[in-house]
Structure formats: structure tokens, C-alpha cells
Amino acid sequence: MGKNLTSRAEDYSKWYNELVVKSDLAENSGVRGCMVIKPYGYAIWEKMQGQLDKMFKETGHENAYFPLFIPKSYLSKEASHVEGFAKECAVVTHYRLKNAEDGSGIIVDEDAKLEEELIVRPTSETIIWDTFRKWVQSYRDLPLKINQWANVVRWEMRTRLFLRTAEFLWQEGHTAHTTKEEALEEAELMMNIYAEFAEDYMGVPVIKGTKTESERFAGAEETYCIEALMQDGKALQAGTSHFLGQNFAKAFDVKFASKEGKQEYVWATSWGVSTRLMGALVMTHSDDNGLVLPPKLAPIQVVIVPIYKGLDQLDIISEKVDPLVKELRGKGITVKYDTRDTHKPGFKFNEYELKGVPVRLAVGQRDLANGTFEVARRDTLTKEIVKAEDVVDKVVSLMDEIQENIFNKALDYRKNHITEVDSYDEFKKVIEEKGGFVSAHWDGTTETEDRIKEETKATIRCIPLNAKKEDGECIVTGKPSVQRVLFAKAY
Amino acid sequence: MGKNLTSRAEDYSKWYNELVVKSDLAENSGVRGCMVIKPYGYAIWEKMQGQLDKMFKETGHENAYFPLFIPKSYLSKEASHVEGFAKECAVVTHYRLKNAEDGSGIIVDEDAKLEEELIVRPTSETIIWDTFRKWVQSYRDLPLKINQWANVVRWEMRTRLFLRTAEFLWQEGHTAHTTKEEALEEAELMMNIYAEFAEDYMGVPVIKGTKTESERFAGAEETYCIEALMQDGKALQAGTSHFLGQNFAKAFDVKFASKEGKQEYVWATSWGVSTRLMGALVMTHSDDNGLVLPPKLAPIQVVIVPIYKGLDQLDIISEKVDPLVKELRGKGITVKYDTRDTHKPGFKFNEYELKGVPVRLAVGQRDLANGTFEVARRDTLTKEIVKAEDVVDKVVSLMDEIQENIFNKALDYRKNHITEVDSYDEFKKVIEEKGGFVSAHWDGTTETEDRIKEETKATIRCIPLNAKKEDGECIVTGKPSVQRVLFAKAY
């Protein structure tokens, strides 16, 4: 298996597209903008789901499932929401096909037109809040903390595997609370959970912040986000958590009787991460040889490749390897022992490198004689010879070391790609030449933000939380500012 | 919480509808035919998913994800397939909404009409086989054993929660093989896995068999099925596994190079179970007091209700209960200790009975004094007093006992509801008055099958596998038959 991968330096975008396909993560389908997530890619997504689902449940959320379709009238109930999603949605208008009378094939049956068109959900606030109205009567019914794992559709014109697809998989949390404070806390909590997941499991360092008004979710009063930085210096929004105020409660008339017996509108949040995280994972760690996966999300953590001539030699190797496999599995490590006779070791080495398997063990005649294994790390592409009796400990510790190393590497990259600037000229230069986050003062107006976006393609990725207050002047207008915000070109 | 549940004897259908809603499994949504699966219902579905997924993976299947949308032309490629699904499908025709110029609201943007209509998948054979063409070149790529967890849409006119909904959740397996024999083996294997799951986890006894030609899946050469019997004497198809021959391989041109270097079409299977299983679960075991859940699928296996006056008493009870909860959880048992002060014990007893929690422990002042717990079984509605030190063992053994008991009860019911008949008069009488499966000779023709269906509403549920060969005469035409088949009215 030749990798034939375009290098990052040559063409980062092409490198990404090729890598996703060649490493068997996903591919384009015959349906415009919709991808096929292949088994290897889906196995990573399942690991992400498993961990996130655990974190959601540990913080008191329950899963449920709501309809795929949203009546057109629902979408219209929250004004800014419909503005945000009407322009790119799949619309179901009929419920039957029939044979054309002229025998030309199968056509839409015009007699089966829906009275009201249905939108394939781009997000589920409207259908869920229509349901919450039935679930919430009293303060005793609150908080309501629901999550849904689902597919959603946004009719994007320019699509890229994982990063922007017409259909994608995601989870969407929707919660209802008695007070504004509690809803704000929930929105922040979920941002923190996303950040913890991104950093501790994906190994992707993120910056927490809030969005400016123009970048907020359609219908939100505050959007919290986590922003990651890719190796080409572009930012990627990896997760968002919205404080929705009482907007949806008012649009769908969801009130509760308070302890004092008053009818009040509930306070809401929603939050989500999607298969876009797969794109962030690939673009943060991978190199010109292929994927680099964090051990915590790798479908195969360790691969063992036997080097042999003839099945007799393989049998002897297997006598050493079989108990090792068992022992590693006993430690909770996912191991593949690749005994395929149809492919040469070199081919297998390439394949697992391309697929980002964190640790590769190889064992041949010399290792048998010496009682050793060759242990190779995917992240550093280094190899060492380890005594058989030390292999299990070595592998166990490598799981942590690799997880930590790839995070630190990404963190270093990011540290080197946050540039403070104090003039618009400098800003443009850094955005154009170096990329990464640019930390600058901004006057707080949408007008200035729009101008910068138009002139440089950079957007405000977030107003960082916990950033130091610092008086300054907007790089464009010179008006006063009390905190720097982070700009970047973004996916 | 008054249960106010219609009894099964009074109106079985009403009982079911009420129970599903009142026990918080699901409810109807504002979208015609689409349900909301509530957290309690979804928790059961997650347990089903978890176990099935494990069984699929243990037999070498991998999960993947394919597009929600199917281009109209794909559906048309397999002739009987399009016949089966065109009449009831949701059709996407546009990709944008806009504000009406007359200010009347939001309308479909006619400028955003799709060149080719997209069907929301009713099942994914076509889109998957279009993909398999790219994945299969050589016999080395086979077998290909893929599963997908997804939502599908079939535009049913009359819908019922879980049993028949426009959108439902399911898994669909799709496999490709080099030989007919291997594909047939796979189809049978998956039927067996479904049967094992239904019986050992859901506690629902099933009969394995094949479908007659007219009841087969649209595009299949053989459909294997598992058939269950509900408490009202109606059958329910709980899972199907199809041998698809080379139909889809030919429709989508999926060939492989054999070991001998010849180009051959691959052989296919597909198989699925859906949220319909939730309906089967409810209707098999539940009673006039509410759900009865098998311990293996119950979201809460044991509930502990404290009986107390004042928080001081509760504290003393909790000193006994807290370590018990911990010990039970240590045994892998899901326990809820319901200390809500807002509801009386009687209310809680009713609620957990309605929700089918297999075991309820209660502890009050007398129990404290005597060092005992009251242990109540949901399946038998019996109670006993158990010494505190024996409670853990008791609960552990009850998990198995209840699982076994509800299966046996359902099995007894089914045994008493399989009636052999040898005349059409007798057949009609049993179908009308007793219900259940009727085992009768049939001449093997679709004509006779259709006549029986028209005259009695009974259909052939399956041609049982492993049934004894027995010469006989068709109950309608008197023509020769070599095996009895099973008829029933069905969901």
C-alpha cells in the first residue's frame, strides 16, 4: 500500500481530503454533500460518543429522541431562528412517488402533496420546545436536561468531509430551568465538558470564550464556544453551548408554576458537538504519513505485525504473541494481531501508519532469538527494541505518553500561533502571512467586525473567558476597548 | 399518581396506547405519525441497542453510516424494491425557504428546486449497494459485514406508537459475500441472533421461519423472520433477515474478481430490527397495573422507597440504605433510592409499578426495628419480608428469577395459543374467537393466501423452520401440502 499522500506543505487542503479517504474514515457519496462514514471512521466516532454520553449522564442528562421533521410553521415561531436556517434546509413536500403515465419512470405523485411542508431538522429547538410545553407545568418538573444523538441536515453549498456536510451526525442538548442563573451555569458547564473532552480525549487544546453578537447561534442570547487551531493556522469551532434566554419558551409558550404559584417562562440552553470533531481530530495531529490518533480514541491501540517466512515460523511467533495479546487485552488495551498472509509486513507498516495506530509491535526471527519486540510509536515515528517481559508495561505507559505528547505538541503549536497586535497593518500581515489566532483590541461593534471580515477574511473566533482586562484601542477605529478578542481565519 | 389505566380485557388497544404514554415511554408529536421517544423509553432502547450491538460485533460486523437521502433514480434500480417503497416515502424537492413577498410568512423558494428529488431513506439497500461497488473489487474484500444504526421513514397512513410510525429508529445490517451458501448462512445467523436477543433479553418467545413470497421484503429472494405473539392473540413480526440473492449486486453492478480471476456478482443479505421491538416488549409482559420489564432491559432494576415521617427518620433509614445501594451497584445492579419528599410512598409504589421496575424494596420504622426490608416483585405482584443481611442475595437471585418467569409465562401463553386445524371452518372459528397462531396446511399458492387474508384478515406469519414434515391437504383448496404453516392476525 503506497500512501501517495500529498504533503501538508504542498497543499494542506488536498492533504486533508486525501487523508480522510485513504485512511478509511469517510468518503463522498452519490448524494450531493452527504458523506459515507466508513467503519474505521465510525469506530472513532463511536468512541467519542461513548465518552461524551458518559459525561452527559454523569452531569444528570438523559437521552431522548425527537422527530426528524419540523413543520414549517414551527421553524417560523422564533424570528431569528428561522432567519438562520431557512436559507439552507431540505424541504419535504410530498409523501409518495408513482409510475409516470408515459412510462418514463418513477415521478413525484402530485396528488400526495403535504398540506404543510416539513423541514428536515437543521437543529431541534423548535420541535423540542413544542414538546417541552407538555412536559413542564411546575417548578418540580425542572430542570429538564435532555440530550439527543441524531442526524441533522443543513444544505451547505460548499461541503468537505466531516468539516461541512449537508447531513452530519451530532448530539444536541436541550435544557429548561427555573432561573436565568441556572441556565447560564448549565451553558457554561457544557462548554467546560466539551473543553475537557477535546483536551483530555481528543488531545486538542481549545480556547473557551463567548461569541460576538453576529456569530451567535440563531436564537441565542449568549453562545459559549471552544475554539481549536489547526496546523494550517486556521481556527475551527469545535463545540458551542447556547444560553437561549426565554426566547424559545416565549415562542412555544412554555411556562411553569413557581414555588410562589406564579406562572413564569422557563430559561433555556442548547449545546452540541458533531462529526466535525472528526475533522478537528485529523487536522490537529496527523502528519504527512497519515493519521495520528490519540490512544483514548483509537479503534486499534496496538497492532502486532509478525515478520516471517512460511506458516511454521508464524506458528512459533504466535506462541509468543498470543499470550501477549491476551495480557494486553486484560489491561483494557485494544490489540490487533495482523496475521494476514496476503500482505507483506512493509505494506502493513504503511497501512497502520496511515491509519494512525498509536503503537506498533513487530516481531521477527531475530526478536524471537533475542526475546524482544520492536516497539514503534506513531506520534514520534521512533522505534526501540524492548525485552518481551517488559512489553506490556511499555505499551501501557506509551498509551499515556502518546496521549500527553500529542496534546503538548498541539499546545506548543497554538502557543506559537497566538499573536498580539496593536495596529491594523500588523493585524493584516499576521493574518495573511503567519495565520493562527490574532489577539487584538476591538471596539465591540458589528460594523467594525464586518469590515475586518470583509477586508481580511478573519472573524472574531471568541471573546476569551478569564482573559485579563486590559485597556486599549480598537485596531481599526481607535475607539476604547477593555479586552483583547481572538481573530482568525476559520473553517 | 392514579394509574387510571384501561384494562386489557376492556380494550386492549386502548390499554396499550395509554400505557405507552403514561409510563413515559413515548408520545405523539406535532408531526403526523412521528413519535417522541421519552427518556424512560429511550433508556430501554439504549439497553436493547447496547446488547444487539455487542452481538453484531461479536459476529464480525462493523458499524458505518450512510446518507439519509436516496436519489430517486437509485430507488428505481431494483424493480421490486421501488414497488415496495415508492408508495409511502417522504420526498425532498427543495433546499430553501424564503419570505413570501406578500408578507404572509415563510414559503418554499421555487428557485431552489432540486434537479433530482431525494427520498428520505425507507431502508438503505440502494445507497449502500451504490457504495459497496466502490468497496468491493476482489474476493479479498469479502465478506463485507456492515451494520448501521439509523432513523428511517415510511409514510404510513395509520400509525401507532412504536408499532407503526412514519419515522422509526432501527439497525440495518448489509452484507456481501462470495457465495450463495455463505449469504444464506449469514441471513440465518442473524435471524438466530435476533431470536436469541428476543428470548434471552426481552423475554419474548419467538418462532423462527421464512416468509411466503407475498410477505417477503421488496427485493429479497428469501426472508427469515422471528414472530412473537401478543397477549391479545395477535402476532407481531419482531425481526427479519433477508437473503437478497444477487439482485442488488446486479442493480448496482457490484462484482468481485474470484480466486480464479473471474468477475462475479456478489451475494447479499440485509437484516433489521427496530423500535417496534419496544411495542413487542410492552405488549408481551405488561398487565393492567402497568409495564412489566425484564430485568436485563430495565433502566431501573431495583427501586428503594423509604417510609418515614420527618427528615430525622429519613436520615436513620438512609444509614441502612446507603450501604445497600452501594453493595447492589457493586453487583452491577441499577438501583434508584427515591428520597423525594414531594411524593408519598403510595404514590411512588404506583409510579414504579406503572413503570415496570422489576424489584421494589421498602423500608419503614418496623423494618428498621426488625432489621428487615419489604421486597416486592413486579411480575408476580407478591411481597415478602427479608432480613437486611439477605437482601442483596435475594435481589440478585430475583433478577434471574423474574427474567425467567416472564419468559415462561409468555411461552405458556403462546403454547396455549397455537391451534392445529384441519378445516377452513375450524380455521375461521379459531382466528375469530380464540386468536393466536393457527397451524394449518396450505397449498403453497399466493392465490389461496390472498383469499384467506381477504376472508379472515389472517396472514401467513411464517413457514416454521425445523417443523416436522407432515402430508396433508390445504384447508381451502384441498390440494396436497407437506408442512403446516402458521397463520395469525398480525400487527
Side-chain angles (χ1 to χ4, degrees):
Chain A
M1 176 183 250
K3 276 174 284 192
N4 290 327
L5 200 58
T6 299
S7 74
R8 288 164 294 174
E10 212 176 317
D11 186 337
Y12 189 82
S13 176
K14 200 170 165 205
W15 164 80
Y16 173 79
N17 293 341
E18 282 180 12
L19 177 54
V20 168
V21 173
K22 290 194 178 185
S23 64
D24 281 340
L25 297 183
E27 65 185 36
N28 286 305
S29 75
V31 187
R32 208 199 62 79
C34 293
M35 66 181 157
V36 172
I37 306 179
K38 299 178 79 173
Y40 193 63
Y42 201 83
I44 299 173
W45 176 242
E46 277 183 322
K47 293 216 158 210
M48 289 187 173
Q49 281 189 300
Q51 179 56 33
L52 285 165
D53 199 69
K54 188 162 170 275
M55 293 166 104
F56 298 158
K57 283 176 177 156
E58 281 168 358
T59 45
H61 301 89
E62 296 182 297
N63 288 331
Y65 188 78
F66 297 84
L68 171 67
F69 298 126
I70 294 177
K72 196 184 63 179
S73 57
Y74 283 35
L75 202 63
S76 315
K77 285 194 180 175
E78 211 287 330
S80 55
H81 195 68
V82 68
E83 275 304 311
F85 291 106
K87 279 167 282 183
E88 48 174 39
C89 60
V91 189
V92 177
T93 55
H94 294 74
Y95 58 85
R96 193 162 62 220
L97 298 175
K98 67 170 186 179
N99 287 308
E101 281 167 24
D102 63 5
S104 63
I106 202 101
I107 58 169
V108 173
D109 186 344
E110 288 299 335
D111 291 339
K113 197 168 182 342
L114 291 172
E115 276 180 43
E116 180 180 2
E117 293 89 353
L118 298 172
I119 311 308
V120 180
R121 64 181 163 220
T123 179
S124 301
E125 276 77 7
T126 57
I127 188 84
I128 287 180
W129 280 87
D130 187 64
T131 308
F132 277 5
R133 188 178 53 250
K134 303 173 214 166
W135 294 2
V136 175
Q137 269 93 44
S138 144
Y139 71 92
R140 284 187 203 88
D141 302 321
L142 297 170
L144 195 53
K145 295 165 76 177
I146 302 292
N147 177 59
Q148 165 171 277
W149 290 97
N151 53 344
V152 285
V153 172
R154 296 177 188 178
W155 208 264
E156 305 279 357
M157 279 302 153
R158 261 173 293 179
T159 61
R160 285 186 74 188
L161 292 170
F162 291 124
L163 297 173
R164 197 172 290 276
T165 48
E167 181 193 15
F168 54 92
L169 303 183
W170 79 344
Q171 61 68 219
E172 47 182 322
H174 297 271
T175 69
H177 307 266
T178 51
T179 65
K180 179 176 177 176
E181 292 65 37
E182 195 184 288
L184 277 165
E185 266 170 37
E186 167 79 8
E188 274 205 64
L189 170 70
M190 298 322 291
M191 173 197 63
N192 285 323
I193 284 178
Y194 289 155
E196 186 187 333
F197 174 75
E199 301 202 331
D200 294 355
Y201 290 84
M202 296 173 61
V204 174
V206 293
I207 292 171
K208 301 178 203 174
T210 56
K211 288 286 181 189
T212 60
E213 200 184 332
S214 66
E215 296 277 336
R216 255 178 228 151
F217 175 73
E221 299 198 349
E222 184 78 276
T223 288
Y224 296 90
C225 63
I226 54 170
E227 295 284 325
L229 192 62
M230 304 298 102
Q231 293 178 65
D232 61 346
K234 282 171 81 176
L236 186 144
Q237 173 180 299
T240 50
S241 179
H242 316 291
F243 167 65
L244 303 173
Q246 294 176 313
N247 292 342
F248 286 92
K250 286 177 181 167
F252 289 90
D253 197 30
V254 185
K255 289 180 193 164
F256 70 99
S258 70
K259 270 187 187 160
E260 297 74 33
K262 275 173 55 184
Q263 288 288 311
E264 294 179 24
Y265 286 112
V266 304
W267 297 86
T269 81
S270 69
W271 29 275
V273 294
S274 73
T275 35
R276 191 162 214 240
L277 289 181
M278 294 285 295
L281 187 72
V282 171
M283 287 204 296
T284 301
H285 305 302
S286 302
D287 62 24
D288 295 346
N289 293 307
L291 295 180
V292 174
L293 294 177
K296 286 186 185 172
L297 298 177
I300 303 165
Q301 295 175 307
V302 178
V303 64
I304 306 176
V305 178
I307 300 166
Y308 61 97
K309 283 184 193 138
L311 293 179
D312 288 353
Q313 283 191 8
L314 178 61
D315 284 346
I316 297 167
I317 289 173
S318 294
E319 273 172 37
K320 297 283 174 196
V321 172
D322 290 342
L324 174 63
V325 169
K326 209 174 157 186
E327 205 181 340
L328 286 169
R329 288 189 182 146
K331 301 265 179 191
I333 292 172
T334 315
V335 187
K336 178 171 176 179
Y337 178 30
D338 184 351
T339 56
R340 282 179 300 170
D341 201 27
T342 43
H343 299 83
K344 298 233 160 83
F347 177 96
K348 294 177 184 177
F349 283 17
N350 261 332
E351 182 179 351
Y352 296 114
E353 226 167 80
L354 182 60
K355 291 195 159 188
V357 176
V359 172
R360 180 188 75 219
L361 305 183
V363 51
Q365 295 310 299
R366 191 181 307 169
D367 296 298
L368 275 187
N370 299 340
T372 59
F373 283 85
E374 182 192 83
V375 180
R377 280 174 73 151
R378 176 63 186 89
D379 60 335
T380 53
L381 292 171
T382 51
K383 293 186 233 180
E384 61 182 302
I385 303 299
V386 176
K387 281 190 196 154
E389 61 266 33
D390 298 332
V391 163
V392 171
D393 287 348
K394 179 71 188 174
V395 167
V396 168
S397 68
L398 275 180
M399 293 295 106
D400 289 339
E401 277 175 50
I402 295 173
Q403 186 79 33
E404 208 182 313
N405 177 54
I406 64 172
F407 174 77
N408 285 332
K409 204 173 151 192
L411 189 61
D412 279 346
Y413 177 84
R414 190 187 74 190
K415 280 182 187 160
N416 293 328
H417 287 81
I418 303 185
T419 313
E420 285 199 0
V421 305
D422 291 309
S423 78
Y424 196 30
D425 281 345
E426 209 186 340
F427 179 95
K428 288 188 214 167
K429 194 172 144 71
V430 175
I431 286 291
E432 198 52 46
E433 290 171 15
K434 185 182 178 190
F437 290 116
V438 179
S439 175
H441 281 286
W442 161 64
D443 65 14
T445 69
T446 301
E447 203 187 334
T448 303
E449 193 182 0
D450 286 349
R451 180 178 155 193
I452 294 174
K453 184 176 177 180
E454 207 167 288
E455 292 175 356
T456 69
K457 288 184 183 151
T459 51
I460 299 179
R461 301 317 305 153
C462 71
I463 304 164
L465 292 174
N466 317 318
K468 64 176 191 293
K469 295 294 162 196
E470 179 197 287
D471 286 326
E473 290 169 3
C474 173
I475 51 164
V476 175
T477 63
K479 287 182 191 164
S481 149
V482 294
Q483 184 190 328
R484 289 175 184 271
V485 299
L486 290 181
F487 291 83
K489 287 191 195 172
Y491 279 95
Chain B
M1 177 183 251
K3 276 175 283 193
N4 290 326
L5 199 60
T6 300
S7 73
R8 287 163 295 174
E10 214 176 314
D11 187 335
Y12 189 83
S13 175
K14 202 171 164 203
W15 163 82
Y16 172 80
N17 294 339
E18 282 181 12
L19 177 54
V20 168
V21 173
K22 290 195 176 184
S23 64
D24 281 340
L25 297 184
E27 66 186 35
N28 286 305
S29 76
V31 187
R32 208 199 61 81
C34 293
M35 65 181 159
V36 172
I37 306 179
K38 299 179 77 172
Y40 193 63
Y42 200 82
I44 300 173
W45 176 241
E46 279 184 320
K47 292 215 159 212
M48 289 186 173
Q49 281 190 300
Q51 180 56 34
L52 284 166
D53 199 68
K54 189 164 169 273
M55 293 167 104
F56 298 157
K57 284 176 176 155
E58 282 168 357
T59 44
H61 301 89
E62 295 181 298
N63 287 332
Y65 189 76
F66 297 85
L68 171 67
F69 298 126
I70 294 177
K72 197 185 64 179
S73 57
Y74 283 35
L75 203 64
S76 314
K77 285 195 182 175
E78 211 286 331
S80 54
H81 195 69
V82 69
E83 275 304 311
F85 291 105
K87 278 167 283 184
E88 46 174 38
C89 60
V91 188
V92 177
T93 56
H94 295 73
Y95 59 85
R96 193 164 61 220
L97 298 175
K98 65 170 186 180
N99 288 307
E101 280 168 25
D102 62 4
S104 63
I106 201 104
I107 59 169
V108 172
D109 186 343
E110 288 300 334
D111 291 339
K113 197 170 185 331
L114 290 172
E115 274 181 44
E116 180 180 2
E117 294 89 353
L118 297 173
I119 311 308
V120 180
R121 64 181 162 220
T123 179
S124 301
E125 276 77 7
T126 56
I127 188 84
I128 288 179
W129 279 87
D130 187 64
T131 308
F132 277 4
R133 186 179 53 251
K134 301 173 214 165
W135 293 1
V136 174
Q137 270 93 44
S138 142
Y139 71 94
R140 285 188 202 88
D141 302 321
L142 297 170
L144 194 53
K145 295 165 76 176
I146 302 291
N147 177 60
Q148 165 171 275
W149 290 96
N151 54 343
V152 285
V153 171
R154 296 176 188 179
W155 208 265
E156 304 279 357
M157 280 302 154
R158 262 173 293 179
T159 60
R160 286 186 73 188
L161 292 169
F162 292 124
L163 297 173
R164 198 172 288 277
T165 47
E167 181 192 15
F168 56 92
L169 303 184
W170 81 343
Q171 61 66 219
E172 48 182 321
H174 297 272
T175 68
H177 306 266
T178 51
T179 65
K180 178 176 179 175
E181 292 64 38
E182 196 184 287
L184 277 164
E185 265 170 39
E186 167 79 8
E188 274 205 63
L189 170 71
M190 299 321 293
M191 172 196 64
N192 285 323
I193 283 177
Y194 288 155
E196 186 186 334
F197 174 75
E199 301 201 330
D200 294 355
Y201 290 83
M202 296 173 60
V204 174
V206 293
I207 292 170
K208 301 178 204 174
T210 56
K211 288 286 181 190
T212 61
E213 199 184 333
S214 67
E215 296 277 337
R216 254 178 229 150
F217 175 74
E221 298 198 350
E222 184 80 276
T223 287
Y224 295 90
C225 63
I226 56 170
E227 293 284 325
L229 193 62
M230 305 297 101
Q231 292 177 66
D232 62 347
K234 282 171 81 174
L236 187 144
Q237 174 181 300
T240 49
S241 180
H242 315 291
F243 167 65
L244 302 172
Q246 295 176 313
N247 292 342
F248 286 91
K250 284 176 181 168
F252 288 89
D253 196 29
V254 185
K255 289 182 193 165
F256 70 98
S258 70
K259 269 187 190 163
E260 296 75 32
K262 274 173 57 182
Q263 287 289 311
E264 293 178 25
Y265 285 112
V266 304
W267 297 86
T269 81
S270 69
W271 29 275
V273 294
S274 74
T275 36
R276 193 161 212 239
L277 289 180
M278 294 285 295
L281 187 73
V282 172
M283 288 205 294
T284 300
H285 305 302
S286 303
D287 62 25
D288 295 346
N289 293 307
L291 294 181
V292 175
L293 294 178
K296 286 187 185 172
L297 298 178
I300 303 165
Q301 294 174 309
V302 178
V303 65
I304 306 176
V305 179
I307 300 166
Y308 63 95
K309 283 183 191 139
L311 292 180
D312 288 354
Q313 283 191 7
L314 178 60
D315 284 346
I316 297 167
I317 289 174
S318 294
E319 273 172 37
K320 295 282 174 198
V321 172
D322 289 343
L324 174 63
V325 168
K326 208 175 158 186
E327 205 181 339
L328 286 169
R329 287 189 181 146
K331 302 263 180 194
I333 291 172
T334 316
V335 187
K336 178 172 177 177
Y337 177 31
D338 185 352
T339 56
R340 283 179 299 169
D341 202 27
T342 43
H343 299 84
K344 298 234 159 81
F347 177 96
K348 294 178 184 177
F349 285 17
N350 262 332
E351 183 179 349
Y352 296 113
E353 225 166 82
L354 182 60
K355 290 196 161 188
V357 176
V359 172
R360 180 188 75 220
L361 305 183
V363 52
Q365 295 310 298
R366 191 182 305 169
D367 297 297
L368 274 188
N370 297 340
T372 58
F373 283 84
E374 183 193 83
V375 180
R377 279 174 72 150
R378 176 63 187 88
D379 59 335
T380 53
L381 292 170
T382 53
K383 294 186 232 180
E384 60 182 303
I385 303 298
V386 176
K387 281 191 194 154
E389 62 266 33
D390 299 332
V391 163
V392 172
D393 287 347
K394 180 70 187 175
V395 167
V396 168
S397 68
L398 275 179
M399 292 295 108
D400 289 339
E401 277 174 50
I402 295 173
Q403 186 78 32
E404 205 180 316
N405 177 53
I406 64 172
F407 174 77
N408 286 332
K409 204 173 151 191
L411 189 61
D412 279 347
Y413 177 85
R414 190 187 74 191
K415 279 182 188 159
N416 293 329
H417 287 81
I418 302 185
T419 313
E420 285 200 358
V421 305
D422 291 309
S423 78
Y424 195 30
D425 281 345
E426 210 186 338
F427 178 94
K428 289 187 215 169
K429 195 171 144 70
V430 175
I431 286 290
E432 198 52 45
E433 292 171 14
K434 185 181 177 190
F437 289 117
V438 180
S439 174
H441 280 286
W442 161 63
D443 65 13
T445 69
T446 301
E447 202 187 339
T448 303
E449 191 182 1
D450 286 349
R451 180 177 154 193
I452 294 173
K453 184 176 179 181
E454 207 167 287
E455 292 175 356
T456 68
K457 290 185 183 148
T459 51
I460 299 178
R461 302 317 305 153
C462 72
I463 304 164
L465 291 173
N466 317 317
K468 65 176 191 291
K469 294 294 163 196
E470 178 197 288
D471 286 328
E473 289 171 2
C474 172
I475 52 165
V476 174
T477 63
K479 286 182 190 163
S481 149
V482 294
Q483 183 189 327
R484 290 175 184 272
V485 297
L486 289 180
F487 291 85
K489 288 191 194 170
Y491 280 95

